[in-house]
Amino acid sequence: MFGQGVMDGTGGVRSRAAGIFALTLLVLQAMVLASWIAGLALMLPSWASSTALIVGCREVPAARPHAASFGHLICGAVGIAAFLLAGPAAHPWALWLAAPAVAVGVTLMWVLRCYHPPAAANAAIPLFSAATMPVYAGAVTLGAVLLYGAAWAFDRADGAATA
């Protein structure tokens, strides 16, 4: 259902486009609502690109549940470590840690076989964010859990549609 390529005919393309729009909106709004309920009030840009990948590119290994969730957790942890290394004050050199933090996060995702490119941003976000690290850690964890759930649900829907 979701993982099929572009369909023949205008009706199939319109229907698929409407489905992608609705699913993307639903997943992101659910993540924002859950974040708000949890008192985090933080929407990570990486959630948007992860959702686009999970909804629109089901056949890509990076869209699998374990890649989406663990990729975010790994890169979020690397970002927090970089922030703690830089110190709580905004040092001019702290931003220079963003590129090495992303490189470490990308390498760890690849080595641990949970490569999810949108999650790489989580390694840099703490160095540019005004959020406290507990709030950021909570948002990353919440996002990882919700993205896992969305990817898992889409996997089940794909299996039911092709069976």
Side-chain angles (χ1 to χ4, degrees), residues 93-158:
W93 61 269
L95 298 180
W96 288 97
L97 288 176
V102 170
V104 168
V106 166
T107 303
L108 286 173
M109 286 191 296
W110 186 81
V111 167
L112 297 172
R113 298 178 186 257
C114 53
Y115 195 72
H116 184 73
N122 288 354
I125 289 172
L127 298 166
F128 299 97
S129 175
T132 65
M133 287 309 98
V135 167
Y136 180 70
V140 167
T141 303
L142 177 65
V145 169
L146 293 173
L147 285 168
Y148 183 91
W152 181 86
F154 294 148
D155 276 356
R156 298 297 122 348
D158 278 350

Side-chain angles (χ1 to χ4, degrees), residues 12-135:
V13 171
R14 284 188 196 131
S15 174
R16 177 139 169 88
I20 287 173
F21 171 81
L23 290 170
T24 301
L25 182 64
L26 178 69
V27 170
L28 286 173
Q29 289 297 81
M31 293 178 81
V32 170
L33 177 63
S35 176
W36 181 73
I37 289 171
L40 301 173
L42 185 63
M43 189 339 188
L44 298 179
S46 57
W47 291 354
S49 50
S50 290
T51 301
L53 185 62
I54 288 168
V55 170
C57 300
R58 297 297 316 128
E59 65 283 351
V60 176
R64 300 280 66 94
H66 77 279
S69 58
F70 290 117
H72 278 275
L73 290 172
I74 289 165
C75 289
V78 169
I80 290 170
F83 176 86
L84 294 174
L85 181 64
H91 299 283
W93 61 269
L95 298 180
W96 288 97
L97 288 176
V102 170
V104 168
V106 166
T107 303
L108 286 173
M109 286 191 296
W110 186 81
V111 167
L112 297 172
R113 298 178 186 257
C114 53
Y115 195 72
H116 184 73
N122 288 354
I125 289 172
L127 298 166
F128 299 97
S129 175
T132 65
M133 287 309 98
V135 167

